[in-house]
Amino acid sequence: MAARRVLTIAWHPVDRVLGAGITVCAVVIALVNANLFLAEAPSFDEWWVALVLGLLVLQLTSIAGWSGLPPATLRGFWAIQPFVLLLALVSAYAAWRGSPADAPFILPWLLDAPVLSTMALVVRLPFVVGMTLLLAAAPALSALVFLGEIPLLVLGHGFVHASNVIYVMLCLVLRPQLQALSRAHTVVESLHVEERSVREARDSLSEFKRIVHDDVISTLVAVIRADGRPSAALRGMAGTALERLRQSEAPVEQRAMTEFVAEEAARLILGSIETAAPGLKVTSDVGPGTVPSDAVGAIGLAAAEAGRNAVRHAGGGSGAVTVTGGAIRVVIADQGPGLRLEAISPDHFGVRESIIGRMSDLDGGRVQIDSGRTGTAVVMLWTRPDA
């Protein structure tokens, strides 16, 4: 796991959008140069044509996987593309014989900027720059074909390939900006959900007050004023009042919850944590399926409190969010002095209510807190209850 972290960067849902945008540029480049490629294709080896077309198919997976492909599959395609491109370029330069019409490297040469830009969404900067320089050396790798002499036209392409580091840097600058916009959008969405919940609660309370006033109190007043045994009409009024009280609770209890796809749920939980505990390093792992909004909201708020505690009491920490169909797991860990639950005052609601209480109230939710001298780990779990 440690070696993997040295090589790769954390996945973020915004990578799908950025990768799809880069791929659109690649598709436009391919379409503009399609006539040139198709005109020269009959003179190419069939395996080489298949290699270049395979590279285009790998590029198109970014658009196809905008919402469908799992993140691990999409990132795998992005990581493979530069090596396919390197093979296509080296073999093309090696086949070049000096005639402008015999230059089967036009299309892959133009695709290297999008390929390297999507690779920058997968691995860390040193590895992307290393692959950029390796592609820049592709003309020199075919020097043996020219008996040690590299044509100036081919040699010049090496400098063009090296300039692709500019596009890589641009991609890496755009990525955190888009992530910041995504976090801001998450906060706005959370505020809208909260506002809608408050409005529904207010309307429900207003309706409840009206029922109490119009039915219950009026019935009680009639009972007080009546002499002797209540009449059948009065008993009917009381029964109607009780039934209306029962019905007033039903919308809250039976309200259908919104279902979030796993990726959207993970984004909302990450947004809650990042808003409450800026700087906390949190990774995410997303699978297929959906989860209900009440579970997402409860775990998001509990995780935000756990992250806030990690920053406040331990100076920082790390976290991991895992969301699959019907299950959510969030871990917030720090290396602080630890805590003892029995030593927490009952009037301190942070851990007891905001985390433990909230997860206990959630159907299917539970929390585990492991604390010692080396730090504290708060594990919040939710699994979909059996229907």
Side-chain angles (χ1 to χ4, degrees), residues 74-84 118-119 122-123 131:
L74 198 57
R75 287 162 68 88
F77 285 152
W78 289 343
I80 289 171
Q81 289 178 31
F83 298 97
V84 177
T118 49
M119 185 186 185
V122 181
V123 299
M131 179 54 71

Side-chain angles (χ1 to χ4, degrees), residues 44-60:
F44 303 162
D45 290 335
E46 292 181 357
W47 69 268
W48 193 88
V49 174
L51 189 67
V52 176
L53 293 178
L55 182 63
L56 286 173
V57 170
L58 286 175
Q59 281 279 306
L60 289 171

Side-chain angles (χ1 to χ4, degrees), residues 189 191-201 255 258:
E189 282 185 340
L191 291 174
H192 281 304
V193 171
E194 184 176 353
E195 179 187 6
R196 187 163 55 249
S197 299
V198 170
R199 190 185 305 116
E200 290 175 356
R255 183 175 57 196
T258 303

Side-chain angles (χ1 to χ4, degrees), residues 137-199:
L141 293 177
S142 59
L144 293 178
V145 177
F146 306 111
L147 301 178
E149 181 180 354
I150 305 176
L152 292 178
L153 177 61
V154 173
L155 185 61
H157 285 173
F159 296 100
V160 176
H161 293 312
S163 68
N164 284 311
V165 72
I166 297 173
Y167 298 100
V168 170
M169 294 296 185
L170 180 62
C171 178
L172 293 177
V173 168
L174 286 174
R175 187 174 186 263
Q177 299 302 318
L178 289 175
Q179 289 179 1
L181 288 174
S182 177
R183 288 193 295 270
H185 179 66
T186 299
V187 172
V188 172
E189 282 185 340
S190 301
L191 291 174
H192 281 304
V193 171
E194 184 176 353
E195 179 187 6
R196 187 163 55 249
S197 299
V198 170
R199 190 185 305 116

Side-chain angles (χ1 to χ4, degrees), residues 197-208:
S197 299
V198 170
R199 190 185 305 116
E200 290 175 356
R202 182 194 62 202
D203 294 343
S204 177
L205 180 59
S206 298
E207 178 63 20
F208 182 78

Side-chain angles (χ1 to χ4, degrees), residues 236-260:
M237 289 174 58
T240 301
L242 289 174
E243 183 60 27
R244 290 201 63 187
L245 279 175
R246 294 191 189 99
Q247 292 177 352
S248 69
E249 298 176 356
V252 176
E253 295 176 352
Q254 301 173 4
R255 183 175 57 196
M257 292 298 175
T258 303
E259 289 283 330
F260 287 127

